[in-house]
Amino acid sequence: MQELSQTIFDSYQVRKTRAQKTAFIELLQKELPEHKITVEESGTFKSRNIIIGDVANAEYILTAHYDTQPVMPFPNFIAPKNTPVYFLYAILIAMPVAILAGGLAGLIRAATDSPALAFAVCYPLLIAYLAMMMVGKANKHTANDNTSGVITLIEALHDETIRSKCAFVLFDHEELGLVGSKQFSKKHKSELEGKLLLNFDCVGLGDYFMLVQNKKAKPIFQDQLKAAFLPEEGKQVLFECACNTRYPSDQKNFKLGVGVACFKKMRVIGYYMDKIHTKHDTVLQEENVSFLVRSLHRLCE
């Protein structure tokens, strides 16, 4: 990896608070003085998107979110092609707090015969649980989600062929609901018309790369993508449509968006991603980043 990429991995994996994001932005400005870096701040959450290059004149837009998530007691398990597992897991992680809140409400109501008191105690519990999921204590380990995407863009930026054809955008507040990318999409709507946008989110762990293409992107760009993202020894590539693949990330805010992620595979479940949003998100396979840079180089050639 480039020295800057190694520095980010070693010292800048946490980019959650405004101060941490400012430190990261200042690092990029210091280490990449030869590049045009623009920081756009907008919206209720004052999202700060980092733009490197010229969006208006770029042929392709390469993106990743740089904000990081709170640490969770359980991983954000994703099975993009297995809908029953996807929803079953969502139910399972919600069940403990639902049982706790329901049980506590029942005890309070039985002891006091006061539904209002039971509600007053348990409703804040549910709110606190949701708050922990959104704005809780920062996860210190973000190797895959999404330091891997950030480093992929940094490595691609050092390839002259890629740099000549692409603009690079690091989105803020993806973890709050794709907020930064939504603001960027609105502001640059005319400049993005007809352009392929590739969003890299969780590409650091696994051997199965999945390109999830939005409905309008697939018929236009799939042949180009297949010619560029070629399987290699130990690495497979799948070209999927967002209509039947669940991978919620920033590409969803763009008509010609394609989400790029990497998965592991097991029987029954199929392709899956685990460990993210927990202290166990510590692995970034450098060969994955190299594979993606080679693929992007072919795309831009």
Side-chain angles (χ1 to χ4, degrees), residues 22-279:
T22 297
F24 175 69
I25 291 169
E26 291 175 348
L27 172 72
L28 297 184
Q29 292 171 332
K30 177 185 175 182
E31 298 297 327
L32 301 170
E34 70 277 20
H35 297 289
K36 176 186 175 183
I37 299 179
T38 305
V39 180
E40 293 183 347
E41 182 172 328
S42 60
T44 304
F45 294 100
K46 296 188 180 299
S47 300
R48 288 184 289 175
N49 295 324
I50 306 168
I51 303 171
I52 306 175
D54 187 345
V55 173
N57 294 310
E59 187 172 341
Y60 303 107
I61 311 298
L62 308 182
T63 71
H65 75 87
Y66 74 98
D67 65 310
T68 55
Q69 71 289 137
V71 66
M72 297 294 293
F74 42 78
N76 183 12
F77 186 87
I78 298 174
K81 300 296 293 182
N82 193 324
T83 299
V85 168
Y86 187 97
F87 285 109
L88 177 61
Y89 187 77
I91 293 170
L92 287 175
I93 62 176
M95 192 176 294
V97 71
I99 293 173
L100 176 61
L104 183 59
L107 289 174
I108 293 173
R109 186 168 182 176
T112 65
D113 196 27
S114 173
L117 179 61
F119 178 83
V121 172
C122 296
Y123 183 72
L125 178 65
L126 294 173
I127 296 299
Y129 178 74
L130 292 174
M132 180 185 70
M133 294 180 67
M134 300 293 289
V135 296
K137 182 181 177 181
N139 188 10
K140 295 181 180 179
H141 304 286
T142 66
N144 194 23
D145 186 14
N146 186 32
T147 295
S148 66
V150 171
I151 287 178
T152 296
L153 262 61
I154 295 300
E155 294 293 302
L157 183 63
H158 285 84
D159 183 298
E160 185 176 353
T161 300
I162 300 174
R163 191 171 62 247
S164 67
K165 296 284 186 73
C166 298
F168 305 76
V169 186
L170 294 167
F171 294 129
D172 195 5
H173 288 145
E174 187 269 354
E175 298 291 351
L176 288 180
L178 317 183
V179 175
S181 59
K182 186 175 183 179
Q183 295 294 333
F184 179 83
S185 177
K186 288 181 178 179
K187 184 167 184 176
H188 297 271
K189 183 177 181 180
S190 62
E191 296 173 334
L192 294 170
E193 193 68 33
K195 293 180 181 179
L196 173 66
L197 182 143
L198 290 164
N199 180 57
F200 299 87
D201 190 356
C202 299
V203 293
L205 182 60
D207 296 322
Y208 298 89
F209 287 95
M210 190 175 291
L211 277 67
V212 183
Q213 304 160 90
N214 287 350
K215 188 175 181 180
K216 292 185 178 181
K218 185 174 181 179
I220 301 173
F221 293 109
Q222 179 163 274
D223 289 344
Q224 292 182 42
L225 293 171
K226 283 187 173 182
F229 288 78
L230 301 174
E232 298 180 1
E233 184 177 356
K235 302 295 177 185
Q236 299 298 316
V237 186
L238 301 101
F239 300 89
E240 304 291 344
C241 181
C243 59
N244 56 22
T245 306
R246 297 181 179 278
Y247 195 70
S249 189
D250 287 308
Q251 77 279 351
K252 291 176 69 66
N253 282 325
F254 302 91
K255 291 180 181 178
L256 299 179
V258 176
V260 183
C262 198
F263 297 88
K264 294 182 281 187
K265 186 179 181 181
M266 69 168 69
R267 291 182 179 179
V268 182
I269 290 177
Y271 304 103
Y272 72 96
M273 181 186 299
D274 62 354
K275 299 184 179 180
I276 58 174
H277 292 205
T278 72
K279 64 182 180 179

Side-chain angles (χ1 to χ4, degrees), residues 274-293:
D274 62 354
K275 299 184 179 180
I276 58 174
H277 292 205
T278 72
K279 64 182 180 179
H280 303 294
D281 183 6
T282 59
V283 179
L284 193 166
Q285 296 170 269
E286 290 187 37
E287 63 268 25
N288 283 17
V289 176
S290 299
F291 170 85
L292 291 171
V293 173

